[in-house]
């Protein structure tokens, strides 16, 4: 028992002393390196990335301000406790915003949808109720109920929403209630909104319920165009909505023409001539069919008989040709805008193929060029990402670059510890390049002027006697070429061949761009220089020195006893040899005698 305790204590003491000696050696090496090269900074002096402070945990273990999501909500009434839904409590505590951002507020877009629905009710059904006999004394109350509901929506839009819309004045966003109200009252929008709510309904008491008295309600067209702009801004495929809207324009023109045809037939007398509507079948469907044939000029229509019919038909033909040509032209613009990117891609590819055919480029090279075009277009939706961002200001380009590339670049070990703003500046200099399968990214011995970061795909590092053996496969997030980028003097030669394994999308950082960035961040420059020196030292060491495969020893050498531990044992002997160290010293003497 005494021997086992002694051996255990000796092992603990030996490990502690070895750890102490190792720390002393590391500190000595750092001081020597600092004296030799003043530019080298210690790990403790690395620039700290400017990041937001982490939230302070609350005493209960969670973050301050966090509340459990699944808590039960109860309401005490009389002697009982009732459970109520949390959304009801949120609804009671909801306060209407004092100002509304018309560009980003989705609630405002939803409200515009209801306003546009009320506007469409008036635009589509006022002509129908005026021309066709669909409004009767039996159903007049239903028509009036919906009419005044639409008027209520118009009134709420004026009093509640339009007076709370933010606006820009002198570069500042104005959110003051009085200023927003005055801005709306001075605008053209307010004049049209008041005009569309003219109370012509009072004439119902004198002339009866005539739908034409509600025609001013159709003047709220500015809300319709504003809704179109806001909706197109939030849709991912806005061209689909544009096609639907253009089709609705055509259908509405046909709708108005069918109403006018029924009115003209009723004016001449239903069935009085072969040209007018004969009063059989569904009146709206039959008149709509006549309007389609007239506006699209299909032909096969009966000839007008009276002067009124001839003038009406001539105006219809002229209007139909004009309206139909406008609709076709607008539809062409909508489809052209939707396929503009595809058209640009096709034109670039056709020009490249024409160029390669003119210079008789080999067929294999042409196939690889076509493959690059097709893969780049289908993977990115564009040929050059920089063309899309060149019109944006520098701050917005940085925001997009952070959202797209920061998660990949921040994980690169080479840039860990560098200034965060330096990484942001570097993100704007990255270029995205697509490599095809078996393309050489870089070759051994060539001058290295770029560093590569793998965004997607894989690359293989080749080596060996034949230069075709796969040494390692690098995946997304890996970095290579950094030694050539950071090395000074003659150390910027490529040390291996790198080939794309399948399709690979890489970020490229030029040496010139990195040097321009590091001028403004001297601390990060020192840190990167230190890391580059360590990389070069580790690459220049022989394999057996780095712990690689060498001649295997049959009997491994015995580890030397640390000098500090020897000194402690000697001091114990001079003091009488008592305690654990004394017993350990006596045990080591026995082992030495047995070994001899």
């Amino acid at each position: 028992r005494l021997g086992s305790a002694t051996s255990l204590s000796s092992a603990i003491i030996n490990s502690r002393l070895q750890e102490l000696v190792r720390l002393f050696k590391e500190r000595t090496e750092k001081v020597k390196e600092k004296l030799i090269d003043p530019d080298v900074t210690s790990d403790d002096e690395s620039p700290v990335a400017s990041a937001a402070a982490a939230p302070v945990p609350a005493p209960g273990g969670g973050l301050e301000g966090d509340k459990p999501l699944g808590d039960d909500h109860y309401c005490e009434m009389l002697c009982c406790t009732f459970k109520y839904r949390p959304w009801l409590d949120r609804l009671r505590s909801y306060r209407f915003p004092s100002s509304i951002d018309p560009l980003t507020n989705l609630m405002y877009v939803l409200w515009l949808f209801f306003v546009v629905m009320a506007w469409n009710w008036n635009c589509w059904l006022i002509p129908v109720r005026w021309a066709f006999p669909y409004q009767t004394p039996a159903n007049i109350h239903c028509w009036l109920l919906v009419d005044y509901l639409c008027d209520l929506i118009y009134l709420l839009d004026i009093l509640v929403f339009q007076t709370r819309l933010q606006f820009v004045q002198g570069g500042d966003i104005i959110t003051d209630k009085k200023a927003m109200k005055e801005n709306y009252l001075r605008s053209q929008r307010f004049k049209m909104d008041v005009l569309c709510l003219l109370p012509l309904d009072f004439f119902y008491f004198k002339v009866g319920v005539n739908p034409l008295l509600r025609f001013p309600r159709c003047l709220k067209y500015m809300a319709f165009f504003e809704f179109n702009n806001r909706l197109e801004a939030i849709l991912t495929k806005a061209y689909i909505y544009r096609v639907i809207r253009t089709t609705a324009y055509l259908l509405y023109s046909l709708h108005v023409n069918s109403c006018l045809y029924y009115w003209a037939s009723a004016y001449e007398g239903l069935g009085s001539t072969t040209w007018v509507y004969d009063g059989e079948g569904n009146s709206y469907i039959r008149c709509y069919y006549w309007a389609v044939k007239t506006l699209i000029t299909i032909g096969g229509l009966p000839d007008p008989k009276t002067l009124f019919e001839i003038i009406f038909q001539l105006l219809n033909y002229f209007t139909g040709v004009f309206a139909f040509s406008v609709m076709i032209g607008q539809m062409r613009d909508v489809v052209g805008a939707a396929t503009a990117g595809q058209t640009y891609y096709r034109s670039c590819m056709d020009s490249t193929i024409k160029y390669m055919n003119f210079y008789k480029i080999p067929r294999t090279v042409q196939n690889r060029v076509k493959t690059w075009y097709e893969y780049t277009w289908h993977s990115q939706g564009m040929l050059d990402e920089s063309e899309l961002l060149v019109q944006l200001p520098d701050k917005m380009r940085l925001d997009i670059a952070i959202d797209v590339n920061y998660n990949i670049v921040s994980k690169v070990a080479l840039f860990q510890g560098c200034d965060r703003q330096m990484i942001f500046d570097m993100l704007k200099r990255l270029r995205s390049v697509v490599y095809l399968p078996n393309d050489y990214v870089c070759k051994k011995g060539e001058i290295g002027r770029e560093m590569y970061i793998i965004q997607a795909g894989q690359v293989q590092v080749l080596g060996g006697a034949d230069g075709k053996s796969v040494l390692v496969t690098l995946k997304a997030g890996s970095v290579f070429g950094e030694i050539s980028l950071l090395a000074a003097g003659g150390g910027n030669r490529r040390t291996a061949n790198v080939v794309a394994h399948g399709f690979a999308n890489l970020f490229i950082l030029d040496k010139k761009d990195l040097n321009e960035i590091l001028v403004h961040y001297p601390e990060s420059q020192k840190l990167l220089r230190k890391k580059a020196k360590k990389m070069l030292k580790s690459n220049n060491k022989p394999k057996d020195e780095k712990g690689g495969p060498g001649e295997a020893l049959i009997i491994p050498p015995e580890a030397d006893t640390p000098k500090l531990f020897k000194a402690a044992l000697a001091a114990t002997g001079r003091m009488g040899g008592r305690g654990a160290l004394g017993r350990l010293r006596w045990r080591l003497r026995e082992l030495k005698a047995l070994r001899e």
Side-chain angles (χ1 to χ4, degrees):
R1 225 180 249 180
L2 182 60
S4 62
T6 304
S7 62
L8 180 61
S9 61
S10 63
I12 295 174
I13 294 173
N14 193 11
S15 63
R16 294 283 180 86
L17 291 175
Q18 286 183 353
E19 179 69 18
L20 186 61
V21 171
R22 185 182 64 80
L23 292 175
F24 275 118
K25 284 185 177 181
E26 288 182 359
R27 185 173 182 82
T28 305
E29 290 294 331
K30 287 183 180 179
V31 173
K32 287 172 61 179
E33 189 177 0
K34 183 74 175 178
L35 292 175
I36 294 172
D37 190 358
D39 290 339
V40 177
T41 58
S42 62
D43 295 337
D44 297 335
E45 296 172 351
S46 300
V48 181
S50 58
V56 180
L63 298 177
E64 290 184 356
D66 291 350
K67 295 182 180 180
L69 299 177
D71 290 350
D72 292 334
H73 299 262
Y74 293 95
C75 170
E76 293 185 1
M77 185 180 295
L78 298 180
C79 59
C80 303
T81 303
F82 300 93
K83 187 175 181 180
Y84 68 94
R85 292 187 295 271
W87 65 266
L88 187 59
D89 185 45
R90 292 198 301 269
L91 186 62
R92 290 173 179 172
S93 60
Y94 178 75
R95 295 293 180 270
F96 198 81
S98 58
S99 65
I100 301 173
D101 184 4
L103 301 179
T104 60
N105 196 317
L106 295 180
M107 183 191 67
Y108 180 64
V109 178
L110 181 62
W111 171 253
L112 284 178
F113 170 76
F114 291 109
V115 176
V116 170
M117 291 299 294
W119 178 76
N120 274 281
W121 166 269
N122 292 315
C123 290
W124 285 78
L125 292 177
I126 286 176
V128 172
R129 294 159 59 187
W130 165 71
F132 292 91
Y134 291 153
Q135 178 177 297
T136 61
N139 59 16
I140 188 65
H141 59 281
C142 298
W143 293 103
L144 294 179
L145 176 63
V146 181
D147 285 345
Y148 294 132
L149 180 62
C150 295
D151 292 350
L152 178 62
I153 294 176
Y154 281 16
L155 190 62
L156 289 177
D157 183 60
I158 295 175
L159 299 178
V160 178
F161 284 88
Q162 296 301 321
T163 56
R164 285 178 166 84
L165 292 185
Q166 302 173 5
F167 66 98
V168 179
Q169 186 178 23
D172 297 331
I173 300 177
I174 306 301
T175 58
D176 181 67
K177 291 183 178 180
K178 184 178 180 181
M180 290 187 295
K181 184 180 295 184
E182 292 178 353
N183 178 69
Y184 173 61
L185 294 178
R186 291 193 304 265
S187 65
Q188 183 70 21
R189 177 77 170 269
F190 173 71
K191 298 175 184 178
M192 297 302 297
D193 289 346
V194 172
L195 186 62
C196 73
L197 281 179
L198 284 178
L200 300 180
D201 302 43
F202 289 108
F203 288 99
Y204 286 172
F205 298 104
K206 186 174 183 180
V207 298
V209 181
N210 188 350
L212 282 182
L213 293 175
R214 293 188 56 82
F215 181 75
R217 304 296 189 271
C218 300
L219 298 179
K220 202 174 178 63
Y221 60 89
M222 299 180 71
F224 172 70
F225 291 114
E226 184 183 7
F227 174 72
N228 291 334
N229 296 332
R230 300 292 176 263
L231 188 61
E232 290 179 6
I234 63 177
L235 291 177
T236 55
K237 295 183 179 180
Y239 65 89
I240 297 178
Y241 174 71
R242 296 190 190 109
V243 171
I244 297 174
R245 185 182 63 204
T246 306
T247 306
Y249 290 160
L250 178 60
L251 296 178
Y252 182 73
S253 61
L254 295 172
H255 168 78
V256 173
N257 195 30
S258 64
C259 295
L260 291 175
Y261 175 65
Y262 186 87
W263 169 80
S265 299
Y267 178 79
E268 287 287 304
L270 297 180
S272 59
T273 63
T274 57
W275 181 84
V276 299
Y277 169 59
D278 56 5
E280 297 180 1
N282 188 294
S283 57
Y284 181 78
I285 298 298
R286 295 286 298 275
C287 293
Y288 201 92
Y289 173 73
W290 182 90
V292 170
K293 294 180 67 176
T294 304
L295 285 183
I296 305 180
T297 62
I298 295 177
L301 295 172
D303 295 331
K305 304 298 182 181
T306 64
L307 179 62
F308 175 80
E309 294 175 357
I310 293 174
I311 295 175
F312 186 89
Q313 188 69 4
L314 287 176
L315 293 176
N316 246 324
Y317 279 141
F318 288 135
T319 307
V321 171
F322 175 74
F324 194 70
S325 60
V326 169
M327 297 302 171
I328 294 298
Q330 190 170 3
M331 187 69 73
R332 182 202 60 190
D333 295 339
V334 170
V335 176
T339 59
Q342 186 80 14
T343 305
Y344 174 73
Y345 156 69
R346 288 296 177 189
S347 63
C348 291
M349 191 172 182
D350 293 342
S351 301
T352 306
I353 293 174
K354 183 179 179 181
Y355 173 84
M356 292 188 295
N357 291 332
F358 179 78
Y359 286 99
K360 296 180 175 59
I361 304 297
R363 185 61 59 184
T364 55
V365 178
Q366 292 192 25
N367 291 335
R368 293 182 66 81
V369 171
K370 294 177 184 177
T371 304
W372 181 88
Y373 267 106
E374 292 178 0
Y375 176 78
T376 304
W377 174 257
H378 289 297
S379 61
Q380 299 180 171
M382 62 192 71
L383 297 178
D384 189 2
E385 295 179 353
S386 60
E387 293 181 358
L388 181 67
L389 306 177
V390 69
Q391 298 177 352
L392 296 177
D394 189 70
K395 181 63 173 63
M396 290 186 180
R397 288 203 302 269
L398 175 61
D399 294 340
I400 294 177
I402 291 174
D403 292 335
V404 175
N405 305 327
Y406 183 73
N407 288 336
I408 297 176
V409 178
S410 61
K411 297 176 183 177
V412 177
L414 178 65
F415 300 116
Q416 290 181 358
C418 294
D419 193 285
R420 190 177 183 184
Q421 189 60 41
M422 188 213 78
I423 298 178
F424 289 167
D425 292 345
M426 189 181 65
L427 291 177
K428 295 184 291 185
R429 305 293 185 98
L430 293 177
R431 292 184 295 109
S432 178
V433 179
V434 175
Y435 288 90
L436 302 183
N438 300 322
D439 273 355
Y440 274 90
V441 180
C442 58
K443 293 185 178 181
K444 183 177 181 180
E446 69 180 11
I447 302 298
R449 298 183 181 89
E450 303 94 5
M451 181 188 69
Y452 301 90
I453 304 174
I454 303 176
Q455 181 189 14
Q458 299 178 356
V459 298
Q460 292 178 338
V461 182
L462 305 182
D466 56 351
K468 297 182 179 179
S469 301
V470 180
L471 302 180
V472 66
T473 300
L474 303 177
K475 300 182 179 181
S478 302
V479 179
F480 60 93
E482 68 276 12
I483 296 179
S484 299
L485 191 69
L486 297 173
N492 57 346
R493 295 271 182 180
R494 300 296 187 191
T495 58
N497 295 328
V498 181
V499 179
H501 180 62
F503 292 96
N505 196 340
L506 307 181
F507 288 132
I508 298 179
L509 178 64
D510 291 334
K511 186 174 185 177
K512 179 182 177 182
D513 294 336
L514 181 62
N515 290 336
E516 291 177 357
I517 294 173
L518 291 178
V519 169
H520 306 285
Y521 303 96
E523 293 297 325
S524 299
Q525 185 178 13
K526 293 177 183 179
L527 179 62
L528 291 177
R529 188 187 304 171
K530 177 183 176 182
K531 291 185 177 181
K533 288 181 179 180
K534 287 184 178 180
M535 291 178 181
L536 289 174
K537 287 180 182 179
S538 61
N539 287 343
N540 294 331
K541 286 183 180 180
K543 290 185 177 180
D544 55 350
E545 190 176 335
K546 291 192 297 183
E551 296 182 0
L553 299 176
I554 299 176
I555 302 177
E558 183 182 0
D560 294 336
T561 305
K563 294 180 180 180
L564 191 59
F565 186 56
K566 288 181 179 181
L569 291 177
T572 303
R574 288 194 297 270
M575 293 174 62
R578 297 180 180 179
L581 285 175
R583 292 192 296 272
L584 182 59
R585 182 169 175 269
W586 175 75
R587 180 63 177 166
L588 288 174
R589 283 186 177 181
E590 285 187 349
L591 292 174
K592 185 177 181 182
L594 289 174
R595 190 180 296 112
E596 291 176 353

